[in-house]
Amino acid sequence: MSTLLATAVGVLYATAIYLILRRSIVKLVIGLVLLSNAANLLIFTSSGLTRYAPPLIPEGADMVLNGVVADPLAQALILTAIVIGFGVLAFAVVLIHRAYEVVKADDMDQMKDTDT
Amino acid sequence: MSVLFAIVLLPLIAALLPRLVQSMGRSTVAIVTALPVLLALLLLLGTAPSVLVDGELLQAAVPWLPQAGLMLAFRLDGLAWLFALLILGIGLLVIVYGHYYLEKSDSGGRFFSLLLLFMAAMLGVVCSDNLLLLVVFWELTSISSFLLIGYWSGQAAARKGARMALTLTGAGGLALLAGVILIGQTVGSYDLGTVLASGDLIRSHALYPLMLVLVLLGVFTKSAQFPFHFWLPHAMSAPTPVSAYLHSATMVKAGVFLLARFYPALAGTDLWFVLVSSIGLVTLLLGAWMALFRHDLKGLLAYSTISHLGLITLLFGLSTRLAAVAAVFHVINHATFKASLFMAAGIIDHETGTRDIRKLGGLRRYLPHTMALATVASMAMAGVPLLNGFLSKEMFFAEAADTPLYGSLNWLVPTLATIAGMLSVAYSLRFVHDVFFGPVPAALVAHAPHEPRRLMRVPVEVLVLLCLAVGVFPAVVVGPLLAAAATATLGGELPEYSLAIWHGLNVPFLMSLLALTGGVAIYVWRAPLFALQRRWPRPHAPAIFEQAVQALVAVAGRFVRFIDNGALQRYVSWLMLPVALIMLAAMASRPDWLGEHALTPVDGLSILATIVAVLAALATVVLRRQRLVALLMISVVGLIVSLAFLRLSAPDLALTQLSVEVVTVLLLMLAMYFLPSRGVIESTWWDRSRDLFLSLSIGVGVGLLALFAMTHPGATISTFFIDNSIPGGGGANVVNVILVDFRGFDTLGEITVLAIAAAGIYALLENLGLCLPIYDPEGRPWAKDRSPLVLQMISRAVLPIALLVAMYILVRGHNMPGGGFIAGLITAVALVLQYVASGVHWVHARVPHNYHPLVAFGVLLAGLTGLASLLLGYPFLTSTFEYIYWPIVGKFELASAMLFDLGVYITVVGATLLILARLGKLSVVEQEEGN
């Protein structure tokens, strides 16, 4: 399972970076989405893989769970990261539209100057 | 010792005043400037009995950055006292002089503010008891002198001169900083007393040559020593009071002050002797030679200053104890006669409108008083007996005469010293004779210059009187001061010396005599010398400097254009390259990247899911024209990620990811609708392979990193959260308790970011005039049909159920998967579905759609929940909970964190809808206008 996840994370990172390095704005945006997924998955895997043990404390259970549940901290961090990722993506998209309106080009190589 | 702080800080604080009272008239400005200086001077004189007579060392210190060894520490020993006296005393005279010198159109407030700032910086340099503090003030002198030299910023010459001075002295200051840090690291303290006591340790250190050279770079640039001398003549474009102050008593003296200050710590080695004395000798001769041929009065004085600074440097370089005493003595004398000469030059310039010696002459008829003063001061500069310059110059000749250290070249130093003395006599004579005697040029007759205001001459008179008093009664006037300063410089016993006018007929006296007669001879037969000098190549310093600066700028520009061509890809690749290198290097250095932690078993379903995700990700790269398919591929990746979350015990994450996936796809569809495709943008083969290499390296690196992390379980702090979730937070869903309770402050920050992003988007979309595309990328016209009726019907039926589910998830979030984020996203999706199915107008007619107040309200609610705990005396965002029993429902928990979660919920709903509705509405409005 670890090997599979590591492969998936690696492929997601590689494709995300490759797309971000393209000149097309559309590819840049797709790359951003993939990168956000890849980063979340990387953080998630780094806290260890746990099956069938979500961080929910069953009713009446004593607190002695001895670390058999999945790491809740990483999950909490990623949960907000997913939502913020959407916010940032939306901001990037709108910024790109604004830039597009000014430059009238979707080629990143033509978006070099702050002056138009 | 608060007196010490007062002396240094009075001018610093007072530097604000002249600017503030500018509107109250020129006299007020001058008085406001002079009073604090006078006060500081009186305070300084008040310490004279203890410092000069009792030989006490006054110290005062307050920690500033003790971790870095930086203390706000001041000391007042003999040397510091002498320099502080020069700075404050001559400073006061310059203020008086400057008041009469400045034109009505000059901003007196700015001038005097800068002057006080500079004065404070100089006082800081000479009184610092901490090496780092000394460098701080040193830099401040560079900056404030830059502003003073460039005071008439309208003139190109002033700007260029100021820039050159700043470049050189600033660079020297950096070298000094490096040297000082090396010294501090060697000694283990930046405390000046400790450093001065550790001379042997420093001199025997392997890095001593480096320390010495770095410190000397600071000294030589500041004191305009060869080959850094050229900035000083060009700083003459400053107003004359500035020149009188900076180039007689202060700025350039900071360099030689440093030689004196570090004398016990750095001097006494062969390297010191060779470097300091040879640079001093070259500067002494070069300055004197150049001074003779200047036609500009201030230029002549500038080169003379360079020459005299060379003399002082040479004396320090000779490394005998007597030479050091002579150096300190000459510092005093040079400050007095040079300041008065600069002031006299300023008066001449002020009254005749020119400083060109060739256009002046016979001024004794118009300015008899100034002539008398300038003549006495020039004689002091030339070293005529009964004046102060004679005494220190004789001490210099005596030291030069018995320098055994150059071996068989023993005759060299005394000979060259005498030649320099002759040149000095010659240019002093030229300064007096060419200006005040001879025929009056016709232009001047018409001008009919007259003596300046009485008070403008008073500073000159004071200084010239001092030259005379020191020259005639040296032991009485300057004896104790010199003794105290020299003791502090040498850091020990004083050598035997006598301050007398007549020491008998000895070698130094003969050298003085030779210099006087030779100097007169050179002046009389100067015509052939001038002819010879004219044929010499004269490198134009500003042009060379300017060329060097331009070349540097060009190189820097090429470098910047290389790494920063404005394209995003270039930035990303520059960021990613080191990331890839560092990561791969780290992985290569850890061959145990597959840790001992057992690999979890693989099942068929997981393999299938991974293959699908990998293929979908790769498809986004390969697909070029089919944007919609690419979008679907992203969704596939996102869905599989959420499945992975679900399978690996993260139900909250799976729910969040799932709902975000819906809004992301909607967002991207709207985004791409507006971005027309104009064919495929082809990258070059080289770009593609570079990017492929970069992304593959990073992919492999991150993959290995993930494997490393998964197989090396580390210590975790999560046990705390798990153990305290119910007792501390009252919730069984640890993830949610962390979000709303343990790390509630984080969450508050995160929803704030979301709110800011939404507000930013709202603002960016204002007046965005995007052209509405008529065709899609495949060239088909966009359909204008309404949404299918089936979708409308179903979506309307789904809405109440979806809202109910969202409420349920919000409320149960504390104990079961769910919470504000997820519930907010579900609500947003349900509402966005109505937009998709029925159109913006339909929704806006039925639902309140002013979303930005909603976002603000959400953040406010979350923040206020936190503040409530503050009111009750608990830290910010402390939560509390209570169990109550409701009929039918049964046991029910009420936690303040739920209110916080409600704030999160409202923010998420508001922000998501604000973003999507704004973007969506854009298309509708435009469409209607288009029709």
Side-chain angles (χ1 to χ4, degrees):
Chain A
M1 195 72 177
S2 308
T3 335
L4 281 182
L5 274 168
T7 316
V9 169
V11 170
L12 282 183
Y13 259 98
T15 45
I17 300 289
Y18 186 79
L19 285 170
I20 288 174
L21 287 170
R22 305 275 51 75
R23 281 164 62 191
S24 149
I25 286 184
V26 176
K27 298 225 161 169
L28 169 71
V29 172
I30 296 176
L32 279 178
V33 180
L34 284 181
L35 190 63
S36 146
N37 273 326
N40 288 339
L41 210 52
L42 176 66
I43 299 171
F44 184 65
T45 54
S46 63
S47 69
L49 309 180
T50 317
R51 295 282 300 270
Y52 311 117
L56 301 168
I57 296 164
E59 185 127 16
D62 286 333
M63 299 320 132
V64 201
L65 288 158
N66 291 332
V68 287
V69 296
D71 192 334
L73 186 60
Q75 295 192 14
L77 293 180
I78 296 168
L79 199 152
T80 50
I82 295 173
V83 181
I84 294 224
F86 169 71
V88 172
L89 178 75
F91 192 80
V93 161
V94 172
L95 205 58
I96 284 170
H97 277 93
R98 194 87 219 191
Y100 171 74
E101 188 207 4
V102 176
V103 187
K104 292 282 174 226
D106 57 350
D107 182 348
M108 294 298 295
D109 275 5
Q110 293 171 31
M111 286 194 188
K112 283 181 181 175
D113 296 316
T114 44
D115 317 317
T116 46
Chain B
M1 276 309 294
S2 51
V3 174
L4 254 175
F5 278 107
I7 291 172
V8 179
L9 298 181
L10 257 176
L12 191 65
I13 296 164
L16 293 169
L17 295 178
R19 208 68 223 253
L20 293 176
V21 300
Q22 181 141 289
S23 56
M24 295 164 71
R26 288 164 45 82
S27 305
T28 320
V29 173
I31 291 167
V32 160
T33 313
L35 274 182
V37 179
L38 186 64
L39 189 59
L41 185 62
L42 290 176
L43 285 174
L44 182 76
L45 293 174
T47 61
S50 48
V51 175
L52 295 190
V53 182
D54 305 338
E56 263 183 66
L57 169 65
L58 304 183
Q59 281 174 306
V62 174
W64 186 357
L65 264 180
Q67 298 87 347
L70 177 58
M71 311 284 279
L72 202 60
F74 296 113
R75 67 147 58 197
L76 203 57
D77 55 7
L79 184 67
W81 203 93
L82 163 67
F83 273 90
L85 179 71
L86 291 177
I87 292 162
L88 287 169
I90 297 188
L92 196 58
L93 297 177
V94 164
I95 291 168
V96 175
Y97 178 81
H99 172 60
Y100 293 102
Y101 178 87
L102 285 188
E103 302 287 338
K104 291 248 176 338
S105 55
D106 295 326
S107 158
R110 186 159 66 93
F111 179 82
F112 285 117
S113 280
L114 291 174
L115 200 69
L116 282 177
L117 183 67
F118 176 78
M119 188 183 290
M122 277 306 300
L123 284 170
V125 168
V126 299
C127 293
S128 284
D129 200 12
N130 179 288
L131 293 191
L132 293 176
L133 187 67
L134 193 153
V135 176
V136 170
F137 281 114
W138 183 276
E139 289 295 301
L140 196 58
T141 61
S142 296
I143 293 165
S144 50
S145 65
F146 164 75
L147 294 170
L148 277 172
I149 295 170
Y151 175 73
W152 282 323
S153 51
Q155 301 174 0
R159 291 197 303 270
K160 279 184 182 162
R163 205 170 60 193
M164 209 191 295
L166 180 69
T167 311
L168 275 166
T169 56
L174 286 179
L176 176 68
L177 176 63
V180 155
I181 288 175
L182 275 180
I183 292 175
Q185 295 297 321
T186 307
V187 177
S189 166
Y190 290 104
D191 177 58
L192 190 63
T194 318
V195 169
L196 293 186
S198 322
D200 291 329
L201 178 69
I202 296 172
R203 280 185 291 265
S204 58
H205 196 270
L207 287 177
Y208 167 74
L210 185 61
M211 295 177 209
L212 181 64
V213 167
L214 287 171
V215 171
L216 287 183
L217 275 175
V219 169
F220 291 163
T221 48
K222 203 77 157 184
S223 279
Q225 297 295 296
F226 177 84
F228 308 111
H229 61 281
F230 58 88
W231 70 263
L232 203 150
H234 295 283
M236 287 302 134
S237 27
T240 303
V242 172
S243 310
Y245 195 40
L246 263 62
H247 306 130
S248 66
T250 53
M251 169 86 164
V252 293
K253 288 286 166 64
V256 286
F257 165 79
L258 213 59
L259 283 182
R261 186 87 282 181
F262 282 127
Y263 193 79
L266 293 175
T269 59
D270 287 348
L271 189 64
W272 168 280
F273 171 75
V274 170
L275 282 179
V276 179
S277 67
S278 55
I279 293 287
L281 188 60
V282 170
T283 313
L284 166 69
L285 277 167
L286 187 80
W289 172 258
M290 302 280 276
L292 183 60
F293 303 107
R294 290 299 105 181
H295 297 305
D296 176 15
L297 277 181
K298 282 175 77 180
L300 186 152
L301 293 177
Y303 277 102
S304 145
T305 299
I306 293 174
S307 167
H308 281 272
L309 289 167
L311 187 152
I312 298 168
T313 307
L314 171 59
L315 277 170
F316 277 118
L318 291 178
S319 308
T320 63
R321 299 173 84 74
L322 259 177
V325 176
V328 175
F329 193 21
H330 200 66
V331 165
I332 307 173
N333 297 335
H334 176 251
T336 45
F337 67 66
K338 192 51 66 68
S340 55
L341 280 172
F342 268 117
M343 289 180 186
I347 291 177
I348 294 165
D349 185 17
H350 204 249
E351 301 307 326
T352 64
T354 181
R355 296 191 322 232
D356 193 326
I357 295 177
R358 289 166 300 186
K359 292 181 186 161
L360 293 166
L363 282 183
R364 71 176 190 281
R365 252 172 274 167
Y366 302 105
L367 307 169
H369 200 126
T370 308
M371 181 205 80
L373 295 173
T375 310
V376 176
S378 297
M379 280 157 70
M381 175 159 79
V384 174
L386 290 183
L387 290 162
N388 60 355
F390 169 74
L391 296 171
S392 48
K393 212 165 237 184
E394 223 188 17
M395 283 169 95
F396 161 62
F397 284 145
E399 285 312 301
D402 49 68
T403 306
L405 289 151
Y406 274 110
S408 61
L409 290 175
N410 253 347
W411 54 271
L412 190 69
V413 176
T415 313
L416 292 178
T418 317
I419 292 176
M422 289 178 192
L423 289 169
S424 151
V425 171
Y427 67 66
S428 303
L429 206 53
R430 181 156 181 252
F431 184 90
V432 174
H433 192 259
D434 277 18
V435 172
F436 293 106
F437 296 88
V440 184
L444 269 188
V445 179
H447 200 277
H450 55 84
E451 285 282 359
R453 299 269 294 273
R454 179 78 189 84
L455 276 170
M456 192 173 179
R457 291 196 311 259
V458 167
V460 194
E461 287 163 0
V462 172
L463 290 167
V464 168
L465 267 179
L466 277 173
C467 292
L468 266 168
V470 173
V472 182
F473 309 108
V476 181
V477 178
V478 85
L481 179 58
L482 178 60
T487 313
T489 305
L490 292 169
E493 285 296 299
L494 276 185
E496 281 289 318
Y497 66 89
S498 85
L499 289 175
I501 304 163
W502 179 247
H503 286 115
L505 196 65
N506 50 13
V507 177
F509 184 74
L510 287 177
M511 285 164 81
S512 279
L513 216 57
L514 202 58
L516 281 173
T517 46
V520 173
I522 290 177
Y523 180 68
V524 171
W525 289 293
R526 65 187 183 280
L529 273 180
F530 271 76
L532 172 74
Q533 201 265 349
R534 259 195 295 279
R535 281 203 300 276
W536 270 21
R538 270 172 299 175
H540 190 52
I544 296 170
F545 178 80
E546 220 34 55
Q547 269 170 16
V549 170
Q550 294 299 336
L552 197 65
V553 168
V555 169
R558 270 202 296 279
F559 180 69
V560 168
R561 275 191 296 282
F562 173 65
I563 57 167
D564 170 14
N565 64 348
L568 180 73
Q569 300 97 309
R570 188 68 68 95
Y571 299 151
V572 176
S573 21
W574 279 119
L575 274 175
M576 288 306 148
L577 188 66
V579 168
L581 290 179
I582 292 169
M583 207 149 50
L584 289 176
M587 284 299 127
S589 69
R590 291 293 298 257
D592 60 332
W593 45 265
L594 198 58
E596 76 284 356
H597 200 274
L599 290 174
T600 37
V602 180
D603 55 296
L605 205 57
S606 305
I607 297 178
L608 186 65
T610 311
I611 291 174
V612 172
V614 165
L615 287 179
L618 292 175
T620 58
V621 176
V622 180
L623 290 172
R624 295 188 162 195
R625 285 190 161 273
Q626 300 90 331
R627 295 170 167 191
L628 200 62
V629 185
L631 263 186
L632 290 178
M633 290 302 127
I634 305 182
S635 283
V636 169
V637 173
L639 282 175
I640 286 176
V641 169
S642 77
L643 284 179
F645 287 147
L646 191 64
R647 196 170 183 80
L648 294 166
S649 317
D652 289 277
L653 291 191
L655 281 171
T656 316
Q657 175 79 30
L658 205 58
S659 11
V660 161
E661 214 45 59
V662 179
V663 284
T664 305
V665 168
L666 280 173
L667 171 79
L668 292 184
M669 283 174 76
L670 277 172
M672 299 205 176
Y673 172 62
F674 285 111
L675 285 178
S677 171
R678 283 187 290 176
V680 179
I681 304 167
E682 283 293 347
S683 305
T684 61
W685 170 87
W686 155 248
D687 280 349
R688 270 202 304 263
S689 28
R690 178 199 65 191
D691 300 345
L692 205 59
F693 167 75
L694 261 183
S695 42
L696 278 181
S697 315
I698 289 189
V700 171
V702 175
L704 288 178
L705 184 71
L707 205 55
F708 182 89
M710 277 185 274
T711 51
H712 290 79
T716 169
I717 56 166
S718 297
T719 7
F720 169 84
F721 298 120
I722 296 166
D723 291 346
N724 288 289
S725 183
I726 286 183
N733 181 3
V734 188
V735 175
N736 184 266
V737 175
I738 290 177
L739 282 177
V740 298
D741 194 331
F742 292 130
R743 303 198 57 82
F745 213 163
D746 273 4
T747 310
L748 183 61
E750 273 146 3
I751 57 173
T752 311
V753 172
L754 200 62
I756 292 171
I761 290 165
Y762 185 78
L764 278 172
L765 288 180
E766 272 310 289
N767 305 319
L768 185 64
L770 284 177
C771 294
L772 221 65
I774 302 163
Y775 299 104
D776 74 347
E778 273 88 55
R780 293 167 300 203
W782 286 97
K784 304 218 162 158
D785 308 342
R786 292 202 147 276
S787 312
L789 191 62
V790 181
L791 182 61
Q792 284 181 25
M793 290 300 119
I794 294 177
S795 68
R796 283 173 207 175
V798 159
L799 181 64
I801 304 170
L803 291 179
L804 202 64
V805 168
M807 280 308 119
Y808 172 62
I809 282 184
L810 172 69
V811 172
R812 77 167 201 171
H814 216 43
N815 293 304
M816 279 181 279
F821 279 109
I822 300 166
L825 285 166
I826 292 174
T827 310
V829 169
L831 285 171
V832 165
L833 195 59
Q834 307 308 311
Y835 278 99
V836 174
S838 312
V840 174
H841 291 294
W842 189 88
V843 179
H844 280 186
R846 287 158 184 80
V847 183
H849 56 274
N850 222 357
Y851 295 118
H852 48 281
L854 198 63
V855 178
F857 176 69
V859 178
L860 198 66
L861 181 63
L864 285 179
T865 315
L867 282 179
S869 62
L870 213 57
L871 279 182
L872 297 172
Y874 293 99
F876 186 54
L877 281 170
T878 310
S879 77
T880 176
F881 57 94
E882 197 62 61
Y883 295 97
I884 53 168
Y885 289 89
W886 277 3
I888 307 169
V889 181
K891 183 180 162 189
F892 190 80
E893 183 196 353
L894 270 184
S896 69
M898 285 175 170
L899 215 54
F900 181 82
D901 221 8
L902 187 64
V904 173
Y905 168 79
I906 294 172
T907 313
V908 173
V909 173
T912 315
L913 285 175
L914 180 62
I915 294 165
L916 291 176
R918 276 295 297 168
L919 257 178
K921 191 159 177 279
L922 212 59
S923 63
V924 177
V925 173
E926 298 273 337
Q927 213 158 24
E928 280 172 354
E929 281 170 358
N931 290 346

